[in-house]
């Protein structure tokens, strides 16, 4: 084997190895089991800002570790409909990074809207000069006395 052909094969292998380590993990990762990839962490945060530019969606997320910028280039319209500002979001990342491209979204929790305040209770109008004491409602006699009760008042006989 010539030295020149051996050197060409070495350079070709080196370039192929470098390109493979840069580009191949993004394509192979969905097909590999999790134990091969390594442990990923769940990063939780609140969406602070959302911006859509042409076919790219940018999310600024406040996390306990710091602020991160998530860039989505796949399923942009679907993610744009799903996520709004002030929503809580969870990403699955290999480690915390301030800039991430197309992260795997685990969960989105919508912002809790404040409960609507109950309608004010209608208060009776104040008494005018023409109105006297309010009348008490009389209970129906059937409810006031129980049948067979000794305390029941008998109506007077009319002749």
């Amino acid at each position: 084997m010539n030295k020149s052909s051996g050197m060409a094969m070495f350079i070709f292998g080196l370039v192929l190895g470098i390109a493979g380590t840069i580009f191949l993990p993004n394509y192979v990762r969905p097909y590999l089991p999790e134990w091969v990839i390594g442990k990923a962490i769940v990063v939780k945060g609140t969406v602070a800002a959302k911006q859509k530019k042409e076919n790219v969606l940018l999310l600024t997320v406040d996390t306990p570790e710091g602020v991160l910028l998530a860039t989505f280039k796949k399923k942009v319209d679907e993610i744009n409909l799903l996520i709004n500002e002030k929503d809580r979001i969870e990403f699955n990342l290999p480690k915390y990074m301030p800039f991430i491209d197309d992260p795997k979204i685990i969960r989105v929790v919508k912002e809790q809207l404040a409960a609507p305040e109950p309608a004010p209770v209608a208060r009776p109008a104040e008494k005018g000069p023409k109105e006297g004491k309010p009348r008490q409602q009389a209970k129906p006699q059937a409810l006031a006395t129980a049948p067979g009760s000794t305390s029941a008042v008998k109506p007077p006989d009319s002749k």
Side-chain angles (χ1 to χ4, degrees), residues 34 38-45 61 63-65 68 88-97 100 103-108:
E34 190 173 322
K39 188 172 182 176
I41 61 169
V42 176
V43 177
K44 300 177 184 181
V61 181
T63 67
E65 293 87 11
L68 62 86
R88 298 216 14 98
I89 190 168
E90 295 179 11
F91 296 117
N92 197 5
L93 301 174
K95 62 179 182 176
Y96 171 78
M97 298 178 285
I100 50 176
K104 181 179 178 184
I105 299 173
I106 296 175
R107 182 176 179 195
V108 176

Side-chain angles (χ1 to χ4, degrees), residues 28-117:
V28 176
R29 186 170 287 130
Y31 304 106
L32 294 175
E34 190 173 322
W35 60 271
V36 172
I37 297 171
K39 188 172 182 176
I41 61 169
V42 176
V43 177
K44 300 177 184 181
T46 305
V47 178
K50 177 175 112 172
Q51 183 178 12
K52 184 177 178 187
K53 291 184 177 180
E54 295 178 12
N55 228 5
V56 176
L57 180 67
L58 303 171
L59 293 179
T60 304
V61 181
D62 290 330
T63 67
E65 293 87 11
V67 179
L68 62 86
L69 179 67
T71 305
F72 294 95
K73 296 176 185 172
K74 300 174 186 172
K75 297 185 179 183
V76 173
D77 294 329
E78 291 88 347
I79 296 171
N80 190 25
L81 287 173
L82 177 67
I83 300 172
N84 294 320
E85 289 184 12
K86 298 183 183 174
D87 288 348
R88 298 216 14 98
I89 190 168
E90 295 179 11
F91 296 117
N92 197 5
L93 301 174
K95 62 179 182 176
Y96 171 78
M97 298 178 285
F99 300 102
I100 50 176
D101 292 325
D102 290 314
K104 181 179 178 184
I105 299 173
I106 296 175
R107 182 176 179 195
V108 176
V109 179
K110 292 295 189 182
E111 172 191 13
Q112 295 294 328
L113 299 175
E117 293 184 20

Side-chain angles (χ1 to χ4, degrees), residues 112-133:
Q112 295 294 328
L113 299 175
E117 293 184 20
V121 178
R123 296 182 180 170
E126 293 186 21
K127 296 180 196 174
K130 295 180 182 178
E131 293 183 28
K133 284 185 175 179

